[in-house]
Amino acid sequence: MRAARLIHLVLLLQSRGSMTGTELARELEVSERTVARDAAALSEAGVPVYAERGRAGGYRLVDGYRTRLTGLGRTEAEALFLSGVPQALREMGLADVASAARLKVTAALLPDLRDAPSSAARRFHLDAPGWFNEPRTPELLPALARAVWDDRCVSASYRSGGREVVRDLEPYGLVLKAGVWYLVARRAVQWRVYRVDRFTAVTAYGEPFVRDPDFDLPEFWAQRAEEFNRSLLRERVVVRLTAEGARLLPYVTDRAAAREALAEAGDPDGRGRVTVALPVESEEVAFSQLLGLGPEAEVLEPAGLRERFARAADRMRENYR
């Protein structure tokens, strides 16, 4: 433990030049007295750490000194690629690993490049969760993350359809979608997607499983997401659109379904309107979506939905009479 702290202290000084005892104590989560003892121990071991007194003083390394203790471990190297999503790292319990990796990379940079990480962080930030939702970290996310990193099989209890089931899974990857965490896992020979917040117990066991070298997590997720979106579009409505309505349709309903429907539409009529058969989730959803197009859309089928729009138009006419 102390050896790791001493290395951390040297890397901090190498990457930042000079730091006060208070700053080092805060970074290392120890007292200033411990920092002083650690600096003395390093000096006795031949590492040229020295303290400068006064208002602008602090600890620093002799100019030109560079340690070779900057090699990344495998876990640190993998976590480094997630540094752009700090919330995800914290939720998976990998924030400390990523911090150590960033420090090592910073220490290995040339002096005039050491401000690059902080410069980038001031200019770019990824906020993954959607608006108007208070994200909650699933309790078992860190345990699943460790199993994913280590390629360990898990025995997991999962809430499904009002009951709890137990499954043996090979956890291949975690996906954060609009603030919700999902686990992609293989069960027997089938690939499955599970919401992490529905797990009630997770236990890793056995030797690491052998990953399928052909499995591509981003590609799998994109395909599964498209299949899921299409599975929701169980009904169809027929709509006549003005040119402006056709332009706005992808913004009020499923974008892929709208574009596909417009591509399959026939030629415009004499008034420049096109008729499309649009896949929708339900008549209720279609009503709320297409209502936003106002006079740029006319629902033709089904008859019940057309009548509902006619009643809504009458009520709006009364409001503005």
Side-chain angles (χ1 to χ4, degrees), residues 37-59:
R37 286 199 297 264
D38 286 351
L42 286 168
S43 182
E44 291 175 4
V47 178
V49 178
Y50 68 95
E52 293 179 326
R53 300 186 180 280
R55 181 177 298 178
Y59 294 90

Side-chain angles (χ1 to χ4, degrees), residues 1-16 19 24 26-29 38 42 67 69 96 99-104 107:
M1 182 67 178
R2 191 190 185 199
R5 190 175 71 240
L6 293 175
I7 293 172
H8 196 174
L9 191 155
V10 173
L11 292 175
L12 283 169
L13 294 179
Q14 183 170 312
S15 61
R16 302 186 189 180
M19 296 180 69
L24 284 168
R26 183 169 57 249
E27 288 280 353
L28 300 172
E29 298 182 351
D38 286 351
L42 286 168
T67 177
L69 297 173
D96 290 343
S99 177
R102 286 194 297 270
L103 179 61
K104 290 182 177 181

Side-chain angles (χ1 to χ4, degrees), residues 53-66:
R53 300 186 180 280
R55 181 177 298 178
Y59 294 90
R60 61 184 301 120
L61 295 170
V62 171
D63 290 343
Y65 176 82
R66 294 183 63 79

Side-chain angles (χ1 to χ4, degrees), residues 240-301:
R240 182 182 291 138
L241 300 164
T242 66
E244 180 66 5
R247 185 184 72 82
L248 293 174
L249 186 64
Y251 297 97
V252 299
T253 187
D254 182 85
R255 189 161 296 189
R259 288 173 175 166
E260 186 175 308
L262 289 168
E264 295 175 354
D267 296 330
D269 62 16
R271 297 172 58 185
R273 300 175 302 174
V274 295
T275 300
V276 300
L278 178 70
V280 295
E281 187 173 340
S282 65
E283 287 189 23
E284 184 68 31
V285 172
F287 178 77
S288 63
Q289 292 176 336
L290 297 176
L291 194 62
L293 294 180
E296 309 302 332
E298 177 190 357
V299 174
L300 304 178
E301 298 176 15

Side-chain angles (χ1 to χ4, degrees), residues 84-108:
V85 280
Q87 178 182 326
L89 284 168
R90 287 193 297 271
E91 293 180 354
M92 290 189 291
L94 295 171
D96 290 343
V97 174
S99 177
R102 286 194 297 270
L103 179 61
K104 290 182 177 181
V105 169
T106 302

Side-chain angles (χ1 to χ4, degrees), residues 67-267:
T67 177
R68 295 181 180 274
L69 297 173
T70 53
L72 293 176
R74 180 177 181 82
T75 304
E76 292 171 336
E78 291 172 332
L80 187 61
F81 286 95
L82 292 173
S83 293
V85 280
Q87 178 182 326
L89 284 168
R90 287 193 297 271
E91 293 180 354
M92 290 189 291
L94 295 171
D96 290 343
V97 174
S99 177
R102 286 194 297 270
L103 179 61
K104 290 182 177 181
V105 169
T106 302
L109 293 173
L110 294 173
D112 59 344
L113 296 177
R114 286 180 189 157
D115 67 337
S118 60
S119 177
R122 286 194 298 267
R123 289 167 170 81
F124 302 100
H125 176 67
L126 174 62
D127 185 7
W131 291 104
F132 314 118
N133 292 314
E134 185 65 31
R136 292 185 178 181
T137 303
E139 182 179 349
L140 296 174
L141 177 61
L144 285 169
R146 285 194 297 271
V148 169
W149 283 117
D150 297 338
D151 294 339
R152 295 280 301 282
C153 293
V154 296
S155 176
S157 299
Y158 186 79
R159 295 192 304 274
S160 176
R163 61 193 182 96
E164 193 166 291
V165 297
V166 178
R167 297 284 186 262
D168 288 335
L169 305 172
E170 294 179 355
Y172 264 66
L174 288 162
V175 176
L176 178 61
K177 171 70 172 180
V180 179
W181 283 96
Y182 297 89
L183 174 72
V184 176
R186 185 166 61 181
R187 178 172 172 243
V189 295
Q190 292 185 315
W191 298 101
R192 306 283 181 132
V193 176
Y194 301 88
R195 278 186 60 137
V196 173
D197 58 7
R198 292 180 184 169
F199 285 100
T200 58
V202 172
T203 303
Y205 68 89
E207 296 296 320
F209 62 86
V210 179
R211 277 181 167 263
D212 181 347
D214 296 326
F215 178 76
D216 185 303
L217 181 60
E219 181 180 330
F220 170 85
W221 182 259
Q223 179 181 345
R224 185 57 61 93
E226 182 179 354
E227 292 173 357
F228 176 73
N229 285 339
R230 288 187 176 277
S231 72
L232 295 177
L233 307 178
R234 303 183 182 93
E235 300 183 28
R236 285 180 178 269
V237 298
V238 179
V239 189
R240 182 182 291 138
L241 300 164
T242 66
E244 180 66 5
R247 185 184 72 82
L248 293 174
L249 186 64
Y251 297 97
V252 299
T253 187
D254 182 85
R255 189 161 296 189
R259 288 173 175 166
E260 186 175 308
L262 289 168
E264 295 175 354
D267 296 330

